[in-house]
Amino acid sequence: MSRGPLAGTRVVLLAGAGPAPFAGMLLRDLGAEIIRVDRPGSDKGVSGLPAHLDSRSQGVRAVTADLKSDEGRDVVRRLVATADVFVDPYRPGVVERLGLGPATLCAAHPTLVYVHMTGWGHEGAWAQRAGHDINYLAVAGALHPTGPADRPPLPPLNLLADFGAGGTYLVMGVLAALLERTRTGRGAVLDVAMTDAVASLTTLLHDMRAAGLWSDERESNIFDGGAPFYRTYRTADGGFMAVGAIEPAFHAALLATLGIDPAGWPQHDRSRWPDQRRELARIFASGTRAEWEQAFDGVDACVTPVLTPGEAPGHPALASRRTFVDSGGRPAPGPAPRKATR
């Protein structure tokens, strides 16, 4: 079996929370060798999880080095001498003061892909400011649209800025830099900021807003729960069903399955949306989640159950393609993307 497209690629990353270890996991799944430099005295993985329970630490070679000492910094320099990628997850200026900045390491190793991974960017007015996923979402304009209109915005866990934006865009930048290196023979210095990446993810929202198709009023738009055909509904047993019937054919299938006359149910008349939401809430509350799953089984209406993290690995759609794999006796998400079978 192939070891992956990045087999033979070595990545050295300084231990840190957030997107850097997640990006390391993605690069590992693509075949790269990951070496993480830990601080002395730490016997845990990242984010306080024991290493054996942290999927981001599996298959990672951990090296302990005190970067405040000459010996520790020499450990990093020796590792970088044989590395293709180096990831710095600290605030701007920290590694430079340690003598491990790009001016030093890239000068000694011109083919190195050097990555600064920060929240606000390696430069800019807030470069030195502390922050977390929720803060980057808030300032980038991605937090305000979330949640019900009569409540404060709800953070989508830490999935968006940390992982969906920061970690994924880090990997995209590294892959592009490695590809460019094959043509130029030279590495690169990347400035990956979670706020930049989150803003990039909101491109469609800004396009819709410019076209007059998006309002800054929360829960009044198609994708923020305002549309009755794109939101979740509680079932009789306390579960939830997710409805994403945007396209006309899916919307028609939704109405047909629920026994609603489409003649009196215009899809895009926003003045009717509040009443339609209330009616769909009443209908879905009349049956259990299992009953609605059965009703929509085989119906192309984009209606699915809302599963807990504990339920997801056992769902037939995911189990049939081994989306989750066994990791020491517990289910864990498998690598993605994967090569298709021909």
Coordinates of all heavy atoms in Angstrom, one line a residue, residues 16-51:
G16 N 1.9 23.4 20.0 CA 1.0 24.5 20.3 C -0.4 24.0 20.2 O -0.6 22.9 19.6
A17 N -1.4 24.8 20.6 CA -2.8 24.4 20.5 C -3.3 25.0 19.2 O -2.7 25.7 18.5 CB -3.5 25.0 21.7
G18 N -4.6 24.6 18.9 CA -5.3 25.2 17.8 C -4.9 24.5 16.5 O -4.8 23.2 16.4
P19 N -4.7 25.2 15.4 CA -4.7 24.6 14.1 C -3.4 23.9 13.7 O -3.4 23.1 12.9 CB -4.9 25.9 13.1 CG -4.4 27.0 14.0 CD -4.7 26.7 15.4
A20 N -2.3 24.3 14.4 CA -1.0 23.7 14.0 C -1.0 22.1 14.1 O -0.6 21.4 13.2 CB 0.2 24.3 14.7
P21 N -1.4 21.6 15.3 CA -1.4 20.1 15.4 C -2.4 19.5 14.5 O -2.2 18.3 14.0 CB -1.7 19.9 16.9 CG -2.3 21.1 17.4 CD -1.7 22.2 16.6
F22 N -3.5 20.1 14.3 CA -4.5 19.6 13.3 C -3.9 19.5 11.9 O -4.1 18.5 11.2 CB -5.8 20.5 13.3 CG -6.8 20.0 12.4 CD1 -7.6 18.8 12.6 CD2 -7.1 20.7 11.2 CE1 -8.5 18.4 11.8 CE2 -8.1 20.3 10.4 CZ -8.8 19.1 10.6
A23 N -3.2 20.6 11.5 CA -2.6 20.6 10.2 C -1.5 19.5 10.1 O -1.4 18.8 9.1 CB -1.9 21.9 9.9
G24 N -0.8 19.3 11.2 CA 0.1 18.2 11.3 C -0.5 16.8 11.1 O 0.0 16.0 10.4
M25 N -1.7 16.7 11.6 CA -2.4 15.4 11.5 C -2.8 15.2 10.0 O -2.7 14.1 9.4 CB -3.7 15.4 12.3 CG -4.5 14.1 12.2 SD -6.1 14.3 13.0 CE -7.0 15.2 11.7
L26 N -3.3 16.3 9.3 CA -3.7 16.2 7.9 C -2.4 15.8 7.1 O -2.5 15.0 6.1 CB -4.3 17.5 7.5 CG -5.6 17.9 8.2 CD1 -6.1 19.2 7.6 CD2 -6.7 16.8 8.0
L27 N -1.3 16.5 7.3 CA -0.1 16.2 6.6 C 0.4 14.8 6.8 O 0.9 14.1 5.9 CB 1.0 17.3 6.9 CG 0.6 18.7 6.5 CD1 1.6 19.7 7.1 CD2 0.7 18.8 4.9
R28 N 0.2 14.3 8.1 CA 0.6 13.0 8.4 C -0.3 12.0 7.6 O 0.2 11.0 7.1 CB 0.4 12.7 9.9 CG 0.7 11.3 10.3 CD -0.1 11.0 11.6 NE -1.6 11.0 11.3 CZ -2.5 11.1 12.3 NH1 -2.1 11.2 13.5 NH2 -3.8 11.0 11.9
D29 N -1.6 12.3 7.5 CA -2.5 11.4 6.8 C -2.1 11.3 5.3 O -2.5 10.4 4.6 CB -3.9 11.8 7.0 CG -4.4 11.6 8.4 OD1 -3.8 10.8 9.1 OD2 -5.5 12.2 8.7
L30 N -1.5 12.4 4.8 CA -1.0 12.4 3.4 C 0.4 11.7 3.2 O 0.9 11.7 2.1 CB -1.0 13.8 2.9 CG -2.3 14.5 2.8 CD1 -2.2 16.0 2.4 CD2 -3.2 13.8 1.7
G31 N 0.9 11.2 4.3 CA 2.2 10.5 4.2 C 3.4 11.2 4.8 O 4.5 10.6 4.8
A32 N 3.3 12.4 5.2 CA 4.4 13.1 5.8 C 4.9 12.6 7.1 O 4.1 12.1 7.9 CB 4.1 14.6 5.9
E33 N 6.2 12.7 7.4 CA 6.7 12.4 8.7 C 6.6 13.7 9.6 O 7.0 14.7 9.2 CB 8.1 12.0 8.6 CG 8.8 11.7 10.0 CD 10.3 11.6 9.9 OE1 10.9 11.8 8.8 OE2 10.9 11.3 11.0
I34 N 5.9 13.6 10.7 CA 5.7 14.7 11.6 C 6.6 14.6 12.9 O 6.5 13.6 13.6 CB 4.2 14.8 12.0 CG1 3.3 14.8 10.8 CG2 4.0 16.1 12.8 CD1 3.5 15.8 9.8
I35 N 7.4 15.6 13.1 CA 8.2 15.7 14.3 C 7.7 16.9 15.1 O 7.8 18.0 14.7 CB 9.7 15.8 14.0 CG1 10.1 14.6 13.2 CG2 10.5 15.9 15.3 CD1 11.6 14.7 12.7
R36 N 7.2 16.7 16.3 CA 6.7 17.8 17.2 C 7.7 18.0 18.3 O 8.2 17.1 19.0 CB 5.4 17.4 17.8 CG 4.7 18.5 18.5 CD 3.4 18.1 19.2 NE 3.6 17.2 20.3 CZ 3.1 16.0 20.5 NH1 2.2 15.6 19.6 NH2 3.4 15.3 21.6
V37 N 8.0 19.3 18.5 CA 9.0 19.7 19.5 C 8.2 20.2 20.7 O 7.5 21.2 20.7 CB 9.9 20.9 19.0 CG1 10.9 21.3 20.1 CG2 10.6 20.4 17.7
D38 N 8.3 19.4 21.8 CA 7.5 19.7 23.0 C 8.4 20.5 24.0 O 9.6 20.4 24.0 CB 7.0 18.4 23.7 CG 6.0 17.7 22.9 OD1 5.3 18.4 22.1 OD2 5.8 16.5 23.1
R39 N 7.7 21.2 24.9 CA 8.4 21.8 26.0 C 8.7 20.8 27.1 O 8.0 19.8 27.2 CB 7.5 22.9 26.6 CG 7.1 24.1 25.7 CD 6.3 25.1 26.5 NE 5.9 26.2 25.6 CZ 4.8 26.2 24.9 NH1 4.0 25.2 24.9 NH2 4.5 27.3 24.1
P40 N 9.8 21.0 27.8 CA 10.1 20.1 28.9 C 9.0 20.0 30.0 O 8.3 21.0 30.2 CB 11.4 20.7 29.5 CG 11.9 21.6 28.5 CD 10.8 22.1 27.7
G41 N 8.9 18.8 30.5 CA 7.9 18.6 31.6 C 6.5 18.3 31.2 O 5.6 18.2 32.0
S42 N 6.3 18.2 29.9 CA 4.9 18.0 29.4 C 4.9 16.5 28.9 O 5.6 16.1 28.1 CB 4.6 18.9 28.2 OG 3.4 18.5 27.6
D43 N 3.9 15.7 29.6 CA 3.8 14.3 29.2 C 2.4 14.1 28.5 O 1.9 13.0 28.3 CB 3.8 13.4 30.4 CG 2.8 13.7 31.4 OD1 2.1 14.7 31.3 OD2 2.7 13.0 32.4
K44 N 1.8 15.2 28.1 CA 0.5 15.2 27.4 C 0.7 15.5 25.9 O 1.7 16.0 25.5 CB -0.5 16.1 28.1 CG -0.8 15.7 29.5 CD -1.9 16.6 30.1 CE -2.2 16.2 31.5 NZ -3.0 15.0 31.5
G45 N -0.4 15.3 25.2 CA -0.4 15.7 23.8 C -0.7 17.2 23.7 O -0.2 18.0 24.5
V46 N -1.5 17.5 22.8 CA -2.0 18.9 22.6 C -3.3 19.1 23.3 O -4.1 18.2 23.4 CB -2.0 19.4 21.2 CG1 -0.6 19.4 20.6 CG2 -2.8 18.4 20.3
S47 N -3.6 20.3 23.7 CA -4.9 20.7 24.3 C -5.2 19.9 25.5 O -6.4 19.7 25.9 CB -6.0 20.5 23.3 OG -5.8 21.4 22.1
G48 N -4.2 19.5 26.3 CA -4.4 18.8 27.5 C -4.9 17.3 27.4 O -5.0 16.7 28.5
L49 N -5.0 16.8 26.2 CA -5.4 15.4 26.1 C -4.2 14.5 26.2 O -3.1 14.8 25.7 CB -6.0 15.2 24.7 CG -7.4 15.6 24.4 CD1 -7.7 15.5 23.0 CD2 -8.4 14.8 25.3
P50 N -4.3 13.4 26.9 CA -3.2 12.4 26.9 C -3.0 12.0 25.5 O -3.9 11.9 24.6 CB -3.8 11.2 27.7 CG -4.9 11.8 28.5 CD -5.5 12.9 27.7
A51 N -1.7 11.8 25.2 CA -1.3 11.5 23.8 C -2.0 10.3 23.2 O -2.4 10.3 22.0 CB 0.2 11.3 23.7

